[in-house]
Amino acid sequence: MTKTRVGHPVAVKFEEKTVLVLGAYGFIGAAVVRALHADGLAVKGLIRSRKTAGRVLPDVDLVSGDLRDFRSAGDWRPLLTGVDVVVNCAGALQAGGKDDLRAVHYTAIASLGQACAEEGVSIVQVSAMGADTDASTEFMRSKADGDAALRATAATLWCFKPGLVIGQSDYGGTALLRMLAAVPFLQPVAFPATPVQCVGMRDLCAAVLSAIRDDLPPGSYDLVEDTPQPLSRVLSVTRHWLGF
């Protein structure tokens, strides 16, 4: 990758890159941070709770911050010093006292894109399959607006849209699947035929690493299995995985 610092193009080798991960102790963020560390990269994590982050990621350089406070490119510049790539794994599930979908998914990310374009920092955006401006949920609509804002900048961008992410941690969609799969005898599945497209956490992390290595051209990628599976099938496999 070639980036520009103070007007001078500088080629940065993979092993010399520093990566800033947003949402570093979340379900996806923590897995990405560990994968980056395993490949020898220097990683900084933007986190909201030092107590939680210290428990999940005890050996990571942490920076405290709330995405709701990042409203302009200037708010991001101090965090981008010495950073080559930003990986955005942050997200809010719903609007409420501690979360603001629009601020987290769009306002902060739009200003991040502007700052990264100005500073020559690349972006890996972990979005979501189904993120679209006319989606039925504000979560997906705000994600889509953030994706579009990043594409509108001159920053080098990889936008990944994973399906249902399956990982070892009991968070997100994995937690829901485990909960349903653990119910003995009859499982309470309202729509067993609902098509589901999954992606393994290991595959998602591999895609992020491929982007950082420049092995993958910048662009937008759907990270899902080739053939959708009915929810009942996914639950059946999960039960087998859990040993039931």
Side-chain angles (χ1 to χ4, degrees), residues 26-235:
F27 174 52
I28 294 175
V32 167
V33 167
R34 292 180 184 119
L36 298 179
H37 258 307
D39 259 34
L41 292 174
V43 183
K44 296 197 297 184
L46 179 65
I47 48 89
R48 192 157 62 174
S49 168
R50 279 197 171 271
K51 181 178 179 181
T52 302
R55 184 173 66 251
V56 177
L57 301 169
D59 301 319
V60 176
D61 183 11
L62 302 173
V63 182
S64 297
D66 191 321
L67 286 181
R68 294 174 296 181
D69 298 329
F70 290 82
R71 301 183 180 90
S72 69
D75 294 329
W76 284 105
R77 288 194 187 97
L79 272 71
L80 298 180
T81 301
V83 169
D84 301 289
V85 185
V86 175
V87 181
N88 178 29
C89 301
L93 293 178
Q94 60 185 9
K98 293 185 178 181
D99 282 314
D100 183 327
L101 292 174
R102 192 73 181 166
V104 171
H105 294 163
Y106 172 71
T107 305
I109 302 311
S111 59
L112 170 68
Q114 180 183 348
C116 286
E118 294 170 355
E119 299 296 325
V121 177
S122 300
I123 304 172
V124 178
Q125 165 81 337
V126 180
S127 184
M129 189 69 179
D132 195 88
T133 53
D134 60 359
S136 60
T137 66
E138 178 57 24
F139 175 89
M140 289 298 186
R141 291 194 296 271
S142 58
K143 274 286 190 183
D145 288 342
D147 297 346
L150 290 177
R151 286 193 292 268
T153 72
T156 300
L157 172 67
W158 293 265
C159 183
F160 294 131
K161 293 187 173 185
L164 179 62
V165 181
I166 307 297
Q168 294 294 328
S169 301
D170 284 323
Y171 295 101
T174 299
L176 177 60
L177 285 177
R178 289 188 180 191
M179 179 185 70
L180 289 173
V183 175
F185 307 115
L186 296 176
Q187 293 171 304
V189 184
F191 302 99
T194 300
V196 178
Q197 284 179 284
C198 302
V199 61
M201 182 67 81
R202 185 178 300 178
D203 293 327
L204 173 54
C205 292
V208 172
L209 281 164
S210 292
I212 296 173
R213 288 194 190 98
D214 291 318
D215 290 340
L216 189 68
S220 183
Y221 298 88
D222 293 339
L223 299 184
V224 293
E225 57 189 328
D226 292 335
T227 305
Q229 305 288 334
L231 178 57
S232 58
R233 168 64 178 162
V234 176
L235 284 173

